[in-house]
Amino acid sequence: MKKYVFLLPILLSCVLIQCITGDIKKQKLVLRYNVPASVWEETLPLGNGRIGMMPDGGIDTEHIVLNDITMWSGSKDSEAFSPEAINYLPEIRELLLAGKNRDAQQLMYRHFRCGGLGSDHGNGKDAPYGCFQMLGDLHITYSYPQTDSVSHYERTLSLNDAIATTHFSKNGIAYTREYFASHAHDVLVIRLTADKKKSLSFDVKMSRPERATVSVKENKLYMEGELNDGHNGENGVRYLTQLEIVNKGGKLTPSAHSLSLSDADEAIILISNATDMFDKENHTTYSLSAELLLAQAKNNPYNRLKKAHIEVYKEKFDRVELNLGEQDNTTPTNERLIRFQSDDDPALAALYFQFGRYLMICGAREGNLPLNLQGLWANTVQTPWNGDYHLNINVQMNYWPAEVCNLSELHKALSDFTASLVPSGEKTAQTFYGAKGWVAHMMTNPWQFTAPGEHASWGSTNTGGAWLCQHLWEHYAFTRDKEYLKSIYPVLAGATDFFLSSMIREPKQGWLITAPSSSPENAFYLPGTRDAVNVCMGPTMDVQIIRELFTNMLSAAEILGIEDESTAKIREVLPQLPPMQISPDGRLQEWLEDYEEVDPQHRHVSHLYGLHPSNQISPITTPDLADAARKTLNRRGDAGTGWSRAWKVNFWARLHDGDRAYKLLKSLLEPTSGSEIRMSGGGGTYPNLFCAHPPIQIDGNFGGTAGIAEMLIQSQSGYIQLLPALPTGWSKGSFKGLCVRGGAEVDAAWEKGRITRLTLHAKTDNNFQLKVPDGVTAIKKNGRELPIENGFVPLEMKKGEKTELDLTYPV
């Protein structure tokens, strides 16, 4: 039986429109500022998926924060597997079945939690759980011939080539600095120039708040150390940073802890870093790697380093273009951000969209750790919430744009990371639940932590690993790579086996449910009391995730020709899962019972997982559930943390309400400041376009980019829909290279909200169908009219084929 992917074009108003793509004009995409950064949230992020830096563009002194995504303290912790926990599981379930949730939660706090310190309440720097940390600080102190005022100051970040610049004039001399994290040579590069010879003089030094030794050897600056393994032992991550100056003219003078250059014409600062995160058995490999990277970079002239970097970066970045109007390349970005709240600036939305793609390209790469709560950028050794991987939305949101925004290979870091959790997850399943398969709860780290967190209120959520499995399936859905599907099938099967062997039957309806669990971080009042609890049975999000996991598992098994005991069991269990329920006031019910939530405006909206990122709620196929979702969102409100606002952009796009999605996008881009942790309010966007929880939490950037893509194109329901949630203010625009499930890229342009150009590029052999909008009288391909059957046009495409269509519309 043939499988079809459908395409729904938007109605056009002319008699005949030839849908040819041509070249969509490439725009200059720049973040621009006219003063140096005063706080870290104003500095500009650079990265190559492994290492990064954030320069502040200071004039007399410059502070550049250095990063490496593998700078993690901690180590594997055998104490996390609490052997006594399972002894209390029957009693916890009995209490939940009896409606005594508070007693069950208190019992879990005492006994059904990870052993040891766990994440140490988000202060895991010196605990076994560990913490993502900054690499260090680079300080450059400049000397000038004489003191004079500064003019023509400008600080920029080009998204087109991933290069930051600082320009200014002082004493009649024009100074220029260029910075990039090389995607080709894997080093950090800073080039300092002036338009007058012998005008460059500076001192450079590196430091770190702790666990660092700085030295100078053979005119190179070194910083090295070992992070705490959580046991005060010698098994922590070791790192080595090297810095070398390649100068034209001038005199280089080393001291004990710094390098000084005077009267130079030009200087190139090269920085390499390596850790032993992935090679703990050989403690010399990482240092040799740092040496080799620096030597290879030094052997290339600057122009070659720059050209190679740009070529590698642009291969990914240039795959997608989005034009919503001319970019304003004169107004500082922070001012555009402020004006965006009152004035329409669709081009800023396009810039923000591409900034999210930029962050993914610069923050992620194959064969490395996935993006964490801060991507790969941090300015402290104790990052908020340990800078770890929260599995109840945050790390998943990081990768929402990966497929649709044509960065599919960057998804692999998350896929590999998910597979790495399986052995630990199997031990957690057995130790805590006596169950088969594997499970991960609310948070994890590079040391494969999968146990329940130390706080039952948030740590009891046990669908974190299953949510990760949704990303495994999504990669297949977009690529149709059967070999890949074979490779991840055991991971899907293991996650499925956990729920098949651990769910219990609730007595009222006989449904199979998770117990204990929670609806992420939200609390409810027990009936007839003001007792607020979190622990429950079968919250709606759990049911949606498990239903999706089981459905994807059956689809994968069918594609791979597998039929076994597990697939038979899934078919038996699926009808026994609870349905989504609508409460008496018309909202989608968050829990198995219609509890009153403690915070009606809570940042998490987990029970709408079925709307997004899943496809179990749709205004087309499940209008009643969609209406309940709409009422739920109205009650939750449009405020919240940054990432919460980003999720709501996606929700409203899935509900086909473009103007409401745009309102949420404006809310996401609300200017904010401050780095203190706030669990409600204060969300928005920092001057450098980083998302603010607050503090910085980069998932909101990726959620916002994904939300904009959802406004332009959707394919989750088996067909592709163009401009499903187009805001009124985006009446004209174009995009190139957005991807859809089934394996195709789409280019489109529109005017007055109506498609004027349309092209499909098949990335795999597939049978598509084009859903014809009302009023279309004919569709032609290469001059041949295609048959319209029940509102659809069959369209068979081969890998590499480019299809341009002529659409005929009535006058």
Side-chain angles (χ1 to χ4, degrees):
M1 182 177 179
K2 290 186 177 180
K3 294 187 176 180
Y4 294 97
V5 177
F6 304 97
L7 179 64
L8 176 59
I10 303 300
L11 184 62
L12 308 177
S13 61
C14 54
V15 175
L16 176 65
I17 296 178
Q18 185 176 22
C19 300
I20 57 174
T21 48
D23 289 329
I24 295 175
K25 182 181 177 182
K26 292 184 179 179
Q27 293 187 318
K28 185 177 181 181
L29 301 167
V30 180
L31 276 63
R32 186 180 308 276
Y33 307 86
N34 57 15
V35 294
S38 60
V39 293
W40 182 67
E41 292 82 7
E42 296 175 359
T43 63
L44 299 173
L46 297 160
N48 65 6
R50 186 183 71 86
I51 56 176
M53 61 178 166
M54 296 187 67
D56 68 3
I59 297 169
D60 297 321
T61 60
E62 184 163 30
H63 178 202
I64 302 173
V65 178
L66 306 177
N67 291 113
D68 183 315
I69 203 169
T70 62
M71 285 291 286
W72 262 87
S73 63
S75 57
K76 291 189 177 182
D77 184 14
S78 59
E79 292 184 7
F81 304 101
S82 176
E84 69 162 8
I86 196 171
N87 298 329
Y88 295 88
L89 182 60
E91 184 179 354
I92 291 167
R93 286 174 167 170
E94 287 175 8
L95 289 169
L96 289 172
L97 289 168
K100 298 179 179 180
N101 298 58
R102 171 163 291 283
D103 294 340
Q105 181 166 300
Q106 290 174 343
L107 190 59
M108 291 182 70
Y109 266 98
R110 294 195 301 270
H111 301 291
F112 200 83
R113 47 149 289 170
C114 59
L117 294 174
S119 70
D120 198 18
H121 306 167
N123 294 290
K125 178 174 68 69
D126 296 315
Y129 184 85
C131 175
F132 171 61
Q133 306 185 12
M134 67 183 296
L135 172 57
D137 296 297
L138 175 65
H139 293 278
I140 306 175
T141 303
Y142 298 95
S143 299
Y144 299 98
Q146 62 187 30
T147 302
D148 199 357
S149 61
V150 173
S151 62
H152 304 104
Y153 183 93
E154 185 177 62
R155 186 167 55 95
T156 64
L157 171 62
S158 168
L159 305 186
N160 300 96
D161 53 21
I163 293 177
T165 59
T166 300
H167 300 284
F168 60 89
S169 293
K170 189 176 175 69
N171 306 320
I173 301 171
Y175 293 90
T176 301
R177 306 170 192 162
E178 287 189 323
Y179 325 72
F180 61 89
S182 176
H183 285 248
H185 291 90
D186 207 10
V187 294
L188 305 176
V189 182
I190 305 168
R191 185 197 191 203
L192 310 173
T193 60
D195 66 356
K196 181 180 179 181
K197 290 183 178 296
K198 298 183 179 181
S199 296
L200 292 174
S201 298
F202 60 87
D203 298 332
V204 61
K205 63 181 180 180
M206 290 190 293
S207 64
R208 196 171 188 277
E210 63 177 35
R211 294 180 174 268
T213 300
V214 178
S215 61
V216 174
K217 305 171 190 174
E218 299 177 348
N219 288 343
K220 293 181 186 177
L221 188 58
Y222 291 80
M223 182 173 69
E224 54 190 322
E226 179 182 351
L227 305 187
N228 195 341
D229 66 0
H231 304 282
N232 295 315
E234 298 182 355
N235 195 39
V237 169
R238 293 176 169 87
Y239 67 93
L240 173 64
T241 311
Q242 298 187 30
L243 182 152
E244 186 169 1
I245 299 174
V246 180
N247 55 295
K248 289 183 180 179
K251 181 180 179 182
L252 184 65
T253 305
S255 64
H257 301 102
S258 65
L259 297 174
S260 297
L261 181 64
S262 58
D263 302 326
D265 303 332
E266 176 185 303
I268 300 169
I269 301 173
L270 300 173
I271 306 165
S272 68
N273 187 74
T275 75
D276 67 350
M277 164 70 81
F278 301 114
D279 191 9
K280 299 297 293 179
E281 301 300 319
N282 189 337
H283 292 315
T284 61
T285 302
Y286 76 101
S287 59
L288 293 174
S289 175
E291 291 274 4
L292 180 62
L293 289 170
L294 198 64
Q296 290 175 338
K298 186 181 177 182
N299 287 335
N300 287 271
Y302 177 77
N303 286 340
R304 189 183 301 165
L305 285 174
K306 182 178 177 180
K307 180 181 179 182
H309 156 71
I310 292 173
E311 287 178 352
V312 174
Y313 167 77
K314 286 176 76 69
E315 191 282 321
K316 293 183 177 70
F317 187 78
D318 285 355
R319 295 174 191 173
V320 171
E321 296 171 20
L322 174 60
N323 189 327
L324 296 176
E326 289 298 319
Q327 286 293 335
D328 180 350
N329 285 312
T330 58
T331 305
T333 303
N334 54 310
E335 293 182 17
R336 290 182 71 185
L337 199 62
I338 294 169
R339 295 178 187 176
F340 188 66
Q341 296 304 304
S342 57
D343 301 330
D344 273 337
D345 182 3
L348 181 62
L351 181 72
Y352 185 80
F353 169 84
Q354 290 285 32
F355 182 63
R357 293 187 67 250
Y358 166 86
L359 290 176
M360 176 162 282
I361 297 168
C362 294
R365 67 159 60 168
E366 294 181 69
N368 210 335
L369 292 175
L371 294 151
N372 60 50
L373 285 173
Q374 299 202 194
L376 66 69
W377 297 278
N379 68 329
T380 59
V381 292
Q382 176 58 67
T383 44
W385 302 287
N386 298 317
D388 66 4
Y389 303 101
H390 281 25
L391 303 183
N392 60 3
I393 186 173
N394 308 104
V395 72
Q396 292 92 339
M397 184 181 284
N398 283 353
Y399 285 88
W400 284 353
E403 301 295 340
V404 67
C405 291
N406 216 333
L407 297 171
S408 183
E409 67 270 45
L410 299 183
H411 221 157
K412 193 171 188 304
L414 186 65
S415 298
D416 291 345
F417 184 73
T418 301
S420 76
L421 297 178
V422 171
S424 169
E426 290 174 339
K427 188 170 183 180
T428 294
Q430 181 60 41
T431 301
F432 286 85
Y433 299 91
K436 300 176 182 177
W438 73 278
V439 64
H441 289 77
M442 176 268 182
M443 63 190 186
T444 190
N445 58 16
W447 319 119
Q448 292 87 48
F449 182 94
T450 55
E454 64 268 24
H455 274 246
S457 60
W458 47 259
S460 59
T461 300
N462 60 16
T463 46
W467 191 336
L468 288 174
C469 287
Q470 193 246 4
H471 283 258
L472 303 184
W473 175 258
E474 281 288 270
H475 183 69
Y476 171 77
F478 276 86
T479 64
R480 300 178 69 84
D481 183 342
K482 195 171 179 179
E483 290 303 312
Y484 162 80
L485 187 62
K486 287 180 183 177
S487 72
I488 57 97
Y489 186 84
V491 182
L492 297 177
T496 299
D497 286 344
F498 170 75
F499 294 105
L500 290 176
S501 60
S502 67
M503 290 190 296
I504 66 170
R505 195 173 299 279
E506 60 85 34
K508 292 183 180 179
Q509 303 291 339
W511 293 325
L512 289 174
I513 55 172
T514 52
S517 189
S518 64
S519 187
E521 303 183 39
N522 202 4
F524 57 91
Y525 293 116
L526 291 174
T529 76
R530 302 313 281 174
D531 291 338
V533 295
N534 299 78
V535 172
C536 65
M537 303 185 298
T540 298
M541 187 190 79
D542 279 14
V543 178
Q544 294 168 336
I545 290 177
I546 293 167
R547 187 182 302 280
E548 179 181 59
L549 173 66
F550 286 1
T551 302
N552 290 343
M553 177 69 177
L554 289 178
S555 297
E558 181 182 357
I559 293 164
L560 299 176
I562 296 172
E563 183 63 44
D564 56 20
E565 194 174 303
S566 290
T567 56
K569 184 67 173 175
I570 292 171
R571 290 190 180 91
E572 177 188 339
V573 166
L574 262 174
Q576 301 179 59
L577 297 178
M580 284 180 274
Q581 302 177 79
I582 298 175
S583 64
D585 64 1
R587 292 178 293 116
L588 193 70
Q589 206 163 285
E590 185 165 358
W591 293 276
L592 199 63
E593 303 290 340
D594 189 23
Y595 298 124
E596 177 190 354
E597 67 267 61
V598 173
D599 180 7
Q601 282 79 49
H602 196 272
R603 60 193 177 277
H604 283 266
V605 199
S606 303
H607 48 312
L608 296 193
Y609 176 94
L611 176 61
H612 183 278
S614 191
N615 63 341
Q616 299 170 53
I617 301 173
S618 162
I620 305 300
T621 58
T622 61
D624 289 345
L625 290 174
D627 187 56
R630 192 175 291 107
K631 291 177 180 177
T632 297
L633 287 170
N634 284 329
R635 179 174 168 85
R636 274 294 202 266
D638 294 345
T641 59
W643 62 262
S644 177
R645 301 178 190 197
W647 198 1
K648 292 168 187 172
V649 175
N650 289 268
F651 286 143
W652 286 109
R654 285 284 176 93
L655 291 171
H656 300 169
D657 190 335
D659 286 335
R660 189 66 178 272
Y662 187 52
K663 182 175 183 286
L664 263 298
L665 181 63
K666 283 201 168 192
S667 179
L668 172 61
L669 288 170
E670 182 180 351
T672 192
S673 61
S675 57
E676 70 282 357
I677 292 177
R678 296 176 63 183
M679 301 308 291
S680 61
T685 297
Y686 290 117
N688 65 357
L689 297 192
F690 268 170
C691 180
H693 178 288
I696 171 192
Q697 205 167 288
I698 207 166
D699 45 7
N701 287 101
F702 298 121
T705 290
I708 293 170
E710 289 282 342
M711 295 160 77
L712 299 172
I713 194 166
Q714 294 180 19
S715 61
Q716 71 279 358
S717 297
Y719 56 85
I720 303 162
Q721 185 173 0
L722 298 174
L723 310 185
L726 190 71
T728 303
W730 296 3
S731 61
K732 180 180 180 180
S734 61
F735 65 77
K736 185 199 84 169
L738 293 180
C739 296
V740 294
R741 295 165 185 84
E745 293 182 16
V746 179
D747 306 339
W750 65 93
E751 288 190 32
K752 297 181 180 179
R754 296 171 175 178
I755 296 292
T756 57
R757 293 192 313 230
L758 176 62
T759 302
L760 272 72
H761 309 255
K763 301 170 77 171
T764 184
D765 296 349
N766 201 359
N767 295 309
F768 296 86
Q769 276 203 359
L770 197 68
K771 189 178 187 306
V772 183
D774 294 339
V776 172
T777 57
I779 297 178
K780 293 182 180 180
K781 175 185 176 183
N782 298 327
R784 181 175 63 87
E785 187 169 333
L786 302 174
I788 298 177
E789 302 173 0
N790 298 320
F792 293 91
V793 173
L795 189 61
E796 185 175 347
M797 296 182 68
K798 297 295 184 183
K799 182 178 180 179
E801 182 180 350
K802 178 180 177 181
T803 296
E804 300 171 353
L805 301 171
D806 298 338
L807 282 71
T808 303
Y809 293 83
V811 176

